[in-house]
Amino acid sequence: MLGLMQDWPLTVDRILDHAKINFPRREAVTRSVEGPISRTTYGTVWRRAKQVTNALIERGIRPGDRVATLAWNTERHLEAWFGTMGMGAVLHTVNPRLFPEQIAWIINHAEDQVLFFDTTFAPIVDKIAPHLKTVKTFVAMTDRDHVPKSEVTHFVAYEDFIHGHAQEATWGGFDENTAAGLCYTSGTTGEPKGVLYSHRSNVLHAMAANQADVFGCGASDVVLPVVPMFHANAWAIAFVAPMCGSKLVMPGAKLDGASIYELLETEKVTFTAAVPTVWLMLLNHMREHNLKLSTLKRVAIGGSAVPEAVLRAFEEDYGVEVIHAWGMTEMSPIGSIGKLLPEHHAMDHESRIRAKLKQGRALFTVDMKIVDDEGAPKPHDGKAFGRLLVRGPAVARAYFKNAGARNDKGECLEPDGFFDTGDVATIDELGVMQITDRAKDVIKSGGEWISSIDIENIAVGAEGVANAAVIGVAHPKWDERPLLIVEPKPGAEPTREQLLAFIDGKIAKWWMPDDVVLVEKIPLGATGKINKLALREMFKDYKLPSAQAAE
Amino acid sequence: MLGLMQDWPLTVDRILDHAKINFPRREAVTRSVEGPISRTTYGTVWRRAKQVTNALIERGIRPGDRVATLAWNTERHLEAWFGTMGMGAVLHTVNPRLFPEQIAWIINHAEDQVLFFDTTFAPIVDKIAPHLKTVKTFVAMTDRDHVPKSEVTHFVAYEDFIHGHAQEATWGGFDENTAAGLCYTSGTTGEPKGVLYSHRSNVLHAMAANQADVFGCGASDVVLPVVPMFHANAWAIAFVAPMCGSKLVMPGAKLDGASIYELLETEKVTFTAAVPTVWLMLLNHMREHNLKLSTLKRVAIGGSAVPEAVLRAFEEDYGVEVIHAWGMTEMSPIGSIGKLLPEHHAMDHESRIRAKLKQGRALFTVDMKIVDDEGAPKPHDGKAFGRLLVRGPAVARAYFKNAGARNDKGECLEPDGFFDTGDVATIDELGVMQITDRAKDVIKSGGEWISSIDIENIAVGAEGVANAAVIGVAHPKWDERPLLIVEPKPGAEPTREQLLAFIDGKIAKWWMPDDVVLVEKIPLGATGKINKLALREMFKDYKLPSAQAAE
């Protein structure tokens, strides 16, 4: 028997409709790419987004067609966002930090027909335009006076693109499972894979992301997403803010400490979100100029683990609550949130800090489990670690064009329907998850797993160590055993014995590295993380002393 | 093009699953019907709810079958709730405050097969049992020692009913539009009509109800729903609390001021919700004994308009934030929430109090509009009033068995798909709605509408007036004109001229009552509201002086 409730498809246009009806005069403030601070309202964003829809329709865009943006967080990006999704076309946000060749590959793979871009990125567009096979219209997100000159292609000014179009157009009215957005994972190995969000997944994810224990924003909040709209929906904030009526502050192209600080203060921001590097820049700026935060209450930090120093600085020095978040593009992106539980509130300050350094607990709508190689669940004791699998209405089932398919339905899922995050994690008695390793980096020794990250975190504390990495090296008896690779500080010469003695007693005996190698420089990837792939390649023929002994 | 996100149907079993996995040891505390305070956890509720499912299956209950409860808010009610819904059967919550004949009619209409009841209601069950056509099993929600004796039928003790059943059973796995709950409107006119909630509507409504600007509860909150689970899902709290991990405190049968106060303090409640009469009892109790509230932060008040004295007492005397809510059974039930906007925060205290007396702004997922008799929208200026229409995924489309159908699809909707609330309201520039009248009570004079409630609210302030009512009386020229009916205070004899002079200048000239009548007693309905139907019947042949003049 079916219920008798109304059919009200979960489509994202309803979010901006809600803002237009209930918060028409709430501001959206942008540090414009042209320079000045620009102010608009949800009412105006709604009307101009409708103009975007009409302009797209005039250019032949139909529901299901892909429209790309290569853009900062700005009011025009917000208009293009809702104008594209609202009509049932697919907004493909492209990450401008990728190499131009990757950007071209992605745009061709997505078969984008229109490319909206900020003038900052005109040189990239110029460079890739000859290689783009499907883009018919290049829209520079500015007015006619600021359109960059191009020798290669015709750039239309955004203001001319929408000018004269009607401020009403039909949005929604389609299946809530219709594709709304497309975002490619950067993928350290293999080609980028496209995650195709649906209207339903975006709406549900935004509602989950704004539960009181997650972002918890309301109409009296002022929200500054430093996290980019070009990657994983700006952590849902581009949906959450109009949904709940928060004033929205967008930083445009300037993410340095001074620029972000200025916006936080002048716009009276109460909630902000970004990756740790942004906060390092802000904290440095504030310390250098002896500044305070007068309105900020909460900061969400994710993308990579929150460094303890950043956590302590916000909470202890500035009185700002840190919300540690974890997720991934394939999860829309939020998977877990480090909001404290009553059990944590009963602990002392240091224990709370340690709890906050974990990645947090699952949102409602996210099912999370840790399993061994055979898929059997591991206990939630904060010690046992396993592959982290997730499931939910905002978790990917397949990649665009069936990239990375693992079954004949084109899905990228485990046999039980869960998505493998590629992370290895523990979950403690309170349900709080902590990433301990990437699955491909974990060392499998005698059927048991050793966390490379745990050993690295200890080794970097030893005298004379600038950086440390641990990888698994083949072993005839144990399958793999840990090899510690150390980059000494300039002039330092730590010995194998000193380093092992330092680690001894801090980890289980059988986790102890079988050998230590000093290298001049540990290779880092584009995001500053240790490039384990390169290290494994470097040491693929390395013979451990213990391996020789076992042979 | 469809998105590629996971299929994860929104079924309510996922809510209790989430609590069991993430908050297994969070408490659910009940003032048991047997007397003592009883303590359980979400983990145990989950296991016992599974036992309920297995016990129901054993008794032949299949998905789609209706299972009734006639019960207070207790842990057993919570178990029966999720145990029934989880398996795809329909939980029919019956309001024990109805007349026994109505209860029997409703149970027969719903074709309930099992009746769970609290021992408090055993006399009702005994009385109606001979008239129940479909109920095969009567479960007294207690243990064997406390089962009341019955001459009429066999009462099974709840503890015996679930005893020995497995603590695992399959939940969910069906269409999210599957019926989950059934609740009849009390209906002052005509027969009660059943609202058939779906799993989807319940999950979405709970997620909407726990946005930060609505209930805003988290895992550190302690939530006491005085609002009954037997009516409109306890305002979603029976779903919200396990969804976000709040500790749940349930008052059982004792809703008096002393009992509620005791629970608020001993259990350290931070959020509670009930109708105004409950709060009048609590406030009287606290004043009488000079008590304070030491942990309560927020109180949601709805069901009828918040009286100014209650609002001021909580906010001014006890420092507790009042959240004025409005809704109806057909809306799951929450439609609007009186959470203040930044524009209100900029006002002075008295203006904020006036704003809080309004019914509030629409939740995300609720579309709300005011229209005239022809369906044309009225302006949002806080003055124009019109019929209040609503739409959303948790708003009824039709009643059970097509009761009250208005079209050939069996729906109870307006031609544009909206549901007519039967209320007349204004919406102000900030989107805040205020109910001004029931549509059937509004006075239609010369094509314009006059609010009966507005005039009544003024008239009760006049000297010597105990109660006042305004109804529309037929008029040959204006269609209807207002008649003021006054119940004087004992011994008082206010005159027509005194009363009209008091009102004059406080409302528009053309709103002035055409005549005044004194009556000994203004008839009240079962809920204490003025019975306008009876008044209209009493005065149906009344000739206004102005009507005689116009003839």
Side-chain angles (χ1 to χ4, degrees), chain A residues 70 94-107 124 127-128 186-188 192 525-527:
Chain A
L70 192 67
V94 182
N95 185 341
R97 294 190 180 129
L98 298 174
F99 295 114
E101 297 71 30
Q102 285 177 305
I103 294 176
W105 187 93
I106 285 173
I107 291 175
I124 299 178
K127 186 167 177 186
I128 65 175
S186 37
T188 47
T527 59

Short mmCIF file of all heavy atoms in Angstrom, two decimals, chain A residues 70 94-107 124 127-128 186-188 192 525-527:
data_model
loop_
_atom_site.label_atom_id
_atom_site.label_comp_id
_atom_site.label_asym_id
_atom_site.label_seq_id
_atom_site.Cartn_x
_atom_site.Cartn_y
_atom_site.Cartn_z
N LEU A 70 34.28 27.15 -15.35
CA LEU A 70 35.68 27.15 -14.93
C LEU A 70 35.79 28.45 -14.14
O LEU A 70 36.15 29.49 -14.68
CB LEU A 70 36.56 27.17 -16.19
CG LEU A 70 38.06 26.90 -16.05
CD1 LEU A 70 38.32 25.46 -15.63
CD2 LEU A 70 38.76 27.18 -17.39
N VAL A 94 34.38 22.52 -13.55
CA VAL A 94 35.72 22.06 -13.89
C VAL A 94 36.73 22.69 -12.94
O VAL A 94 36.66 23.90 -12.65
CB VAL A 94 36.07 22.43 -15.35
CG1 VAL A 94 37.46 21.91 -15.72
CG2 VAL A 94 35.02 21.89 -16.31
N ASN A 95 37.64 21.89 -12.46
CA ASN A 95 38.66 22.35 -11.52
C ASN A 95 39.80 23.04 -12.28
O ASN A 95 40.57 22.39 -12.98
CB ASN A 95 39.18 21.15 -10.74
CG ASN A 95 40.16 21.54 -9.65
OD1 ASN A 95 40.71 22.63 -9.65
ND2 ASN A 95 40.35 20.63 -8.69
N PRO A 96 39.91 24.38 -12.12
CA PRO A 96 40.93 25.10 -12.90
C PRO A 96 42.36 24.80 -12.45
O PRO A 96 43.30 25.21 -13.11
CB PRO A 96 40.58 26.57 -12.65
CG PRO A 96 39.80 26.58 -11.40
CD PRO A 96 39.12 25.25 -11.27
N ARG A 97 42.50 24.08 -11.35
CA ARG A 97 43.85 23.78 -10.86
C ARG A 97 44.46 22.57 -11.57
O ARG A 97 45.62 22.25 -11.35
CB ARG A 97 43.81 23.54 -9.35
CG ARG A 97 43.45 24.82 -8.62
CD ARG A 97 43.64 24.71 -7.13
NE ARG A 97 43.27 25.97 -6.51
CZ ARG A 97 42.43 26.11 -5.48
NH1 ARG A 97 41.88 25.04 -4.95
NH2 ARG A 97 42.16 27.30 -5.00
N LEU A 98 43.68 21.91 -12.38
CA LEU A 98 44.23 20.78 -13.15
C LEU A 98 45.11 21.32 -14.27
O LEU A 98 45.04 22.50 -14.64
CB LEU A 98 43.09 19.95 -13.74
CG LEU A 98 42.15 19.29 -12.74
CD1 LEU A 98 40.99 18.62 -13.45
CD2 LEU A 98 42.89 18.27 -11.86
N PHE A 99 45.94 20.45 -14.84
CA PHE A 99 46.74 20.85 -16.01
C PHE A 99 45.80 21.13 -17.18
O PHE A 99 44.76 20.47 -17.30
CB PHE A 99 47.71 19.72 -16.40
CG PHE A 99 48.75 19.45 -15.36
CD1 PHE A 99 48.78 18.24 -14.67
CD2 PHE A 99 49.73 20.42 -15.07
CE1 PHE A 99 49.74 18.00 -13.71
CE2 PHE A 99 50.69 20.16 -14.10
CZ PHE A 99 50.70 18.95 -13.41
N PRO A 100 46.15 22.09 -18.03
CA PRO A 100 45.28 22.42 -19.16
C PRO A 100 44.92 21.19 -20.00
O PRO A 100 43.77 21.06 -20.45
CB PRO A 100 46.11 23.43 -19.96
CG PRO A 100 46.98 24.08 -18.94
CD PRO A 100 47.29 23.02 -17.94
N GLU A 101 45.86 20.27 -20.16
CA GLU A 101 45.57 19.07 -20.96
C GLU A 101 44.46 18.25 -20.30
O GLU A 101 43.59 17.69 -20.97
CB GLU A 101 46.83 18.18 -21.07
CG GLU A 101 48.00 18.82 -21.79
CD GLU A 101 48.67 19.93 -20.97
OE1 GLU A 101 48.65 19.84 -19.71
OE2 GLU A 101 49.17 20.91 -21.56
N GLN A 102 44.52 18.17 -18.95
CA GLN A 102 43.47 17.43 -18.22
C GLN A 102 42.12 18.13 -18.38
O GLN A 102 41.09 17.49 -18.54
CB GLN A 102 43.81 17.34 -16.73
CG GLN A 102 44.91 16.35 -16.39
CD GLN A 102 45.22 16.38 -14.90
OE1 GLN A 102 45.53 17.44 -14.35
NE2 GLN A 102 45.14 15.23 -14.25
N ILE A 103 42.16 19.47 -18.29
CA ILE A 103 40.91 20.24 -18.42
C ILE A 103 40.30 19.98 -19.80
O ILE A 103 39.09 19.72 -19.92
CB ILE A 103 41.19 21.74 -18.20
CG1 ILE A 103 41.61 21.97 -16.74
CG2 ILE A 103 39.97 22.58 -18.56
CD1 ILE A 103 42.00 23.40 -16.41
N ALA A 104 41.12 20.02 -20.82
CA ALA A 104 40.62 19.77 -22.18
C ALA A 104 40.05 18.35 -22.29
O ALA A 104 38.96 18.13 -22.84
CB ALA A 104 41.73 19.97 -23.20
N TRP A 105 40.79 17.38 -21.72
CA TRP A 105 40.33 15.99 -21.76
C TRP A 105 38.96 15.86 -21.10
O TRP A 105 38.04 15.23 -21.63
CB TRP A 105 41.37 15.10 -21.07
CG TRP A 105 41.06 13.63 -21.20
CD1 TRP A 105 41.53 12.79 -22.16
CD2 TRP A 105 40.20 12.85 -20.34
NE1 TRP A 105 41.02 11.52 -21.97
CE2 TRP A 105 40.20 11.52 -20.86
CE3 TRP A 105 39.44 13.13 -19.21
CZ2 TRP A 105 39.47 10.49 -20.28
CZ3 TRP A 105 38.70 12.10 -18.63
CH2 TRP A 105 38.72 10.80 -19.15
N ILE A 106 38.83 16.49 -19.93
CA ILE A 106 37.58 16.39 -19.16
C ILE A 106 36.41 17.04 -19.91
O ILE A 106 35.32 16.47 -20.00
CB ILE A 106 37.78 17.05 -17.77
CG1 ILE A 106 38.60 16.13 -16.87
CG2 ILE A 106 36.45 17.38 -17.13
CD1 ILE A 106 38.99 16.77 -15.54
N ILE A 107 36.66 18.22 -20.48
CA ILE A 107 35.58 18.92 -21.20
C ILE A 107 35.15 18.11 -22.42
O ILE A 107 33.95 18.00 -22.72
CB ILE A 107 36.03 20.35 -21.57
CG1 ILE A 107 36.15 21.20 -20.29
CG2 ILE A 107 35.08 20.99 -22.58
CD1 ILE A 107 36.70 22.60 -20.50
N ILE A 124 44.06 29.88 -19.92
CA ILE A 124 43.84 28.43 -20.05
C ILE A 124 42.86 28.16 -21.19
O ILE A 124 43.08 27.27 -22.02
CB ILE A 124 43.26 27.85 -18.72
CG1 ILE A 124 44.23 28.06 -17.56
CG2 ILE A 124 42.91 26.37 -18.90
CD1 ILE A 124 43.70 27.55 -16.22
N LYS A 127 44.37 28.48 -24.47
CA LYS A 127 45.29 27.39 -24.76
C LYS A 127 44.56 26.11 -25.18
O LYS A 127 45.01 25.39 -26.07
CB LYS A 127 46.13 27.11 -23.50
CG LYS A 127 47.23 26.10 -23.71
CD LYS A 127 48.21 26.10 -22.54
CE LYS A 127 49.26 25.01 -22.75
NZ LYS A 127 50.14 24.88 -21.59
N ILE A 128 43.42 25.84 -24.54
CA ILE A 128 42.76 24.57 -24.81
C ILE A 128 41.68 24.66 -25.88
O ILE A 128 41.29 23.63 -26.45
CB ILE A 128 42.14 23.95 -23.52
CG1 ILE A 128 41.01 24.84 -22.98
CG2 ILE A 128 43.22 23.72 -22.48
CD1 ILE A 128 40.28 24.23 -21.78
N SER A 186 39.98 14.07 -9.28
CA SER A 186 41.27 14.40 -9.88
C SER A 186 42.09 13.14 -10.16
O SER A 186 42.91 13.11 -11.08
CB SER A 186 42.05 15.35 -8.97
OG SER A 186 41.84 15.03 -7.63
N GLY A 187 41.83 12.08 -9.42
CA GLY A 187 42.42 10.78 -9.73
C GLY A 187 43.94 10.78 -9.88
O GLY A 187 44.46 11.11 -10.93
N THR A 188 44.66 10.39 -8.81
CA THR A 188 46.12 10.37 -8.90
C THR A 188 46.59 9.29 -9.86
O THR A 188 47.66 9.39 -10.43
CB THR A 188 46.74 10.10 -7.51
OG1 THR A 188 46.06 8.99 -6.92
CG2 THR A 188 46.61 11.30 -6.62
N PRO A 192 40.73 10.89 -15.10
CA PRO A 192 39.71 11.39 -14.19
C PRO A 192 38.37 10.71 -14.48
O PRO A 192 38.08 10.37 -15.63
CB PRO A 192 39.64 12.88 -14.53
CG PRO A 192 40.91 13.21 -15.25
CD PRO A 192 41.31 11.95 -15.95
N GLY A 525 53.43 14.83 -4.16
CA GLY A 525 52.49 14.99 -5.28
C GLY A 525 52.05 16.44 -5.43
O GLY A 525 52.52 17.33 -4.69
N ALA A 526 51.13 16.69 -6.35
CA ALA A 526 50.68 18.05 -6.67
C ALA A 526 50.04 18.73 -5.46
O ALA A 526 50.12 19.95 -5.29
CB ALA A 526 49.69 18.02 -7.83
N THR A 527 49.39 17.96 -4.58
CA THR A 527 48.71 18.56 -3.43
C THR A 527 49.59 18.60 -2.19
O THR A 527 49.13 18.92 -1.10
CB THR A 527 47.43 17.76 -3.09
OG1 THR A 527 47.84 16.40 -2.80
CG2 THR A 527 46.47 17.74 -4.24
#
